[in-house]
Amino acid sequence: MKLPWKKFQLAPPQILVLGFAAIIVLGAILLSLPVASAAGARLPFLDALFTATSATCVTGLVIVDTGTYFSIFGQSVIMVLIQIGGLGFMTMATLFAFALKKRISLKERLILQEAMNQGSMEGIVRLIRKVIYYSLTIELVAAIIFSIRWSFDLGLAKGIYFGVFHAISFFNNAGFDLFGSVSGPFSSLTAYASDPITNIVSMGLIVLGGIGFIVLSDLLEYKKVKRLSLHSKVVLSATAGLIVFGAIVLFMFEFSNARTMGTLSLSGKIWASLFQSVTPRTAGANSIDIAGMRQASQFFMIILMFIGASPGSTGGGIKTTTFTTLIGAIIAMIRGKEDIVLFHYRLGKDRILKAITLTMIALFLIIFVTMVLSTTEDHSLLKILFEVTSAFSTVGLSMGITADLSIVGKILISITMFAGRLGPLTLAYALGPKAEKELYRYPEGKITIG
């Protein structure tokens, strides 16, 4: 006999959706308190909800400037939301379980498997231990370097505070920054466009946070096992290729643009090109004015944002592995091959179908939201498409329209950020009916394609 409460038990995707939603609501309540504002004013709840969603979904789109509007309390709330959102609330819950020496249950392992996008539960707790250790270590080292560098400009106390905040923000690919209080609202890292230390550490954090914890683990254990998994090879090669190609394209497009790189030295142009190639991969910080870029550059950044980071990371987008699978499918079709082969391994049909499904859902969502916002917002289609793609891929870059969004616009962008952070497939599994095993198959048919 089935117990009456059995039907109310939640699947792992549903728990993830509700968990993130609960954290966002709690964050919104805290950010709407007068104490969260530097001026002691109460932030409208919708704006607080938008900011909490952006922080928890590690996006970085903001309606008010973080550095000037929020108090230390408000900024601390945002920093905590970023850390929870980046690592995942289940990872943070596991950290407390470790501290209290509690056993991780089977149900919790299933949720962790879903949160980390793993194919099985084998070694999931060991992976979570590594995630926590790697994350805190990387953030600590980066915070120390940032603090030393910025203490020369901002003073010791402010330099340390900025160092900790930005190490957490950039590693988790959130894009929130406090430099509005230094170089003007919404200025991000434009004052440090040519600074090698700031650029190197920031890009290092973004890349390390974006390649995923599985790859980080593989890299750190490479000396022992002397090999990398197929997943790590695909992620590293795709990440390197996109960064280099993106930097070259942006360097050529923006070299003479007086509103962006035109006034920088050659070394400054190179740093700015590299940074703007890295940051669309879901980071959200910028060292040049995004709105001042040429339209070709802006559209190219939309493509980079759509691809995003890698599975099991703090970033969003369709992911580098999905993009690589699609490119592999195109090459295989052109060559008349039946299989997609990467590094001498054949990909299964289920991987290909999942890549196509994820990409199409992402495209449909972005197109739908863009169409709706083009009727509710008084901005060009390119600016709206840029904003929507940035929200879905949890990037946080903007062409300056976030603060001008209508109520409908704020709600839709918030939903898009939420869907992008959890992943379209996770959201679909959580909201859709429970899958049932097919008892029969239809005969195969043929249609003409192309």
Side-chain angles (χ1 to χ4, degrees), residues 134-437:
Y134 296 159
S135 301
L136 296 181
T137 302
I138 292 169
E139 289 173 352
L140 177 61
V141 172
I144 293 172
I145 298 173
F146 274 151
S147 299
I148 295 172
R149 169 63 187 89
W150 292 336
S151 291
F152 291 102
D153 301 333
L154 310 174
L156 182 60
K158 197 170 186 178
I160 293 174
Y161 177 61
F162 270 49
V164 172
F165 185 96
H166 292 90
I168 292 173
S169 178
F170 292 169
F171 176 73
N172 289 289
N173 281 218
F176 280 83
D177 72 90
L178 304 178
F179 283 98
S181 61
V182 177
S183 48
F186 307 106
S187 56
S188 194
L189 294 178
T190 51
Y192 291 89
S194 301
D195 183 67
I197 295 177
T198 300
N199 275 280
I200 290 172
V201 177
S202 299
M203 288 189 291
L205 284 169
I206 294 166
V207 172
L208 289 174
I211 59 176
F213 299 108
I214 305 166
V215 179
L216 281 176
S217 178
D218 271 6
L219 289 174
L220 291 173
E221 294 180 359
Y222 181 75
K223 283 187 177 181
K224 186 189 300 182
V225 299
K226 297 298 181 183
R227 65 182 179 84
L228 291 174
S229 65
L230 173 63
H231 172 82
S232 295
K233 289 178 182 178
V234 171
V235 167
L236 292 173
S237 58
T239 299
L242 287 168
I243 289 174
V244 173
F245 179 70
I248 293 172
V249 171
L250 292 172
F251 182 84
M252 293 189 299
F253 284 168
E254 298 297 319
F255 184 88
S256 60
N257 187 351
R259 298 181 62 188
T260 55
M261 300 183 195
T263 58
L264 300 176
S265 63
L266 179 60
S267 62
K269 288 181 172 68
I270 294 173
W271 285 122
S273 300
L274 280 169
F275 194 89
Q276 262 57 233
S277 177
V278 169
T279 193
R281 314 291 307 293
T282 81
N286 58 283
S287 61
I288 59 175
D289 181 19
I290 301 299
M293 298 177 78
R294 294 190 169 106
Q295 288 189 348
S297 301
Q298 292 166 345
F299 190 78
F300 180 69
M301 291 185 76
I302 289 174
I303 298 172
L304 292 179
M305 289 192 295
F306 183 72
I307 296 171
S310 302
S313 72
T314 59
I318 63 170
K319 305 296 192 295
T320 52
T321 48
T322 303
F323 175 72
T324 304
T325 301
L326 295 177
I327 295 298
I330 293 172
I331 294 173
M333 181 62 68
I334 292 174
R335 291 181 173 179
K337 304 289 185 180
E338 187 174 335
D339 297 323
I340 299 174
V341 179
L342 300 174
F343 295 99
H344 307 293
Y345 284 93
R346 172 175 55 84
L347 295 187
K349 292 290 190 289
D350 62 320
R351 300 293 91 188
I352 301 167
L353 288 174
K354 187 173 182 179
I356 295 171
T357 302
L358 177 62
T359 304
M360 293 307 296
I361 292 176
L363 276 174
F364 286 146
L365 177 62
I366 290 173
I367 291 170
F368 174 75
V369 177
T370 301
M371 289 174 62
V372 175
L373 292 185
S374 66
T375 62
T376 63
E377 313 301 316
D378 188 22
H379 294 286
S380 68
L381 183 63
L382 182 61
K383 287 184 177 181
I384 293 172
L385 178 61
F386 193 100
E387 191 86 3
V388 174
T389 308
S390 178
F392 169 79
S393 298
T394 68
V395 177
L397 292 174
S398 176
M399 292 170 65
I401 73 171
T402 311
D404 300 328
L405 290 173
S406 65
I407 293 176
V408 174
K410 291 175 184 177
I411 293 172
L412 277 177
I413 291 295
S414 296
I415 293 172
T416 305
M417 289 189 289
F418 189 72
R421 177 64 185 98
L422 287 168
L425 290 181
T426 298
L427 207 58
Y429 293 152
L431 300 177
K434 186 177 180 181
E436 296 181 358
K437 187 176 180 180

